[in-house]
Amino acid sequence: RCAELQIQLTEAVSTMAGQKELIAKLEHDLSTIQTLSTVHRPDAEGAAVPSLEKIPEPIKEATALFYGHPPSPGASFPEGQVDSLLSIISSQRERFRARNQELEGENRMMQHTVHALQSELDNLRADNIKLYEKIKFLQSYPGRGGSRDDTEQRYSSQYEERLDPFSSFSRKERQRKYLSLSPWDKATLSM
């Protein structure tokens, strides 16, 4: 039992040492990449870069690998470094994917809210027209004063339009034609 624990301890120590080396290398690479921001950039794209030696080695190697060019003979990526770069890029991609899904969910919720508010607005308009109809009915009794305010004037045109037989016939014909369309035509029309 003691021998097993001793083996596990030595494995843990060696793993920790390897991780410390990788952390130190990553910190070194990050510091060299941060020095890139101090490199003078040319005014125009494609202009000659007078100080190409200031670009850090990891950037040169990664660019060469990205474009499929073999890296310079003196510089080659160790297998661990390629794996670490790949894991960094993969984790970044996963973060972007999660954020994208989160934003798509928010977008769907906003669209649902907009549709709910639109249907509520349509219902309120219909209710207002019905209320105007009742006002008009009550005003038709003799002896009632004919004072009209802005609210009545706003809904009077919608009320009259609803009573217009030609517009209601036109609406019914459009509905009939729409119902006779194929699903593909309905989708195209709605788009």
Side-chain angles (χ1 to χ4, degrees):
R1 174 91 177 130
C2 184
E4 264 181 51
L5 291 175
Q6 189 65 29
I7 291 172
Q8 288 178 353
L9 177 67
T10 56
E11 287 176 359
V13 169
S14 65
T15 304
M16 186 179 71
Q19 288 179 347
K20 280 185 179 179
E21 288 176 20
L22 286 175
I23 290 171
K25 179 150 181 56
L26 181 61
E27 288 173 349
H28 173 72
D29 289 346
L30 285 175
S31 67
T32 57
I33 288 173
Q34 286 174 349
T35 60
L36 180 64
S37 63
T38 61
V39 174
H40 173 71
R41 295 178 185 217
D43 292 335
E45 191 172 316
V49 180
S51 58
L52 197 58
E53 64 276 351
K54 289 185 181 179
I55 296 177
E57 248 344 277
I59 298 291
K60 289 180 186 176
E61 294 170 358
T63 306
L65 283 177
F66 179 74
Y67 286 113
H69 302 300
S72 59
S76 64
F77 267 141
E79 189 62 33
Q81 189 176 12
V82 171
D83 290 342
S84 68
L85 285 175
L86 182 62
S87 67
I88 291 170
I89 292 171
S90 296
S91 65
Q92 185 178 23
R93 183 192 66 194
E94 292 303 319
R95 283 193 309 272
F96 285 142
R97 182 178 291 156
R99 180 67 177 147
N100 187 24
Q101 289 174 349
E102 178 183 318
L103 290 174
E104 285 176 353
E106 288 178 12
N107 187 15
R108 280 191 294 274
M109 286 176 48
M110 290 294 189
Q111 286 177 351
H112 179 70
T113 304
V114 165
H115 289 301
L117 290 174
Q118 185 64 40
S119 64
E120 185 178 346
L121 179 66
D122 292 341
N123 290 338
L124 289 174
R125 281 188 183 144
D127 289 345
N128 285 339
I129 292 173
K130 288 178 186 175
L131 288 174
Y132 177 76
E133 182 178 6
K134 290 178 182 180
I135 290 172
K136 185 125 174 130
F137 176 75
L138 291 174
Q139 285 178 347
S140 67
Y141 282 112
R144 250 327 251 156
S147 66
R148 299 180 66 163
D149 60 351
D150 290 337
T151 307
E152 291 179 32
Q153 290 175 356
R154 191 172 355 146
Y155 290 106
S156 66
S157 62
Q158 293 178 9
Y159 172 72
E160 295 296 331
E161 182 183 309
R162 199 175 85 178
L163 291 180
D164 184 19
F166 295 112
S167 64
S168 66
F169 174 75
S170 174
R171 223 176 302 119
K172 288 178 185 175
E173 281 297 305
R174 269 187 260 138
Q175 184 67 22
R176 186 182 62 79
K177 281 288 197 183
Y178 180 77
L179 292 174
S180 68
L181 292 174
S182 69
W184 302 108
D185 293 334
K186 286 180 184 177
T188 304
L189 182 62
S190 68
M191 290 168 74

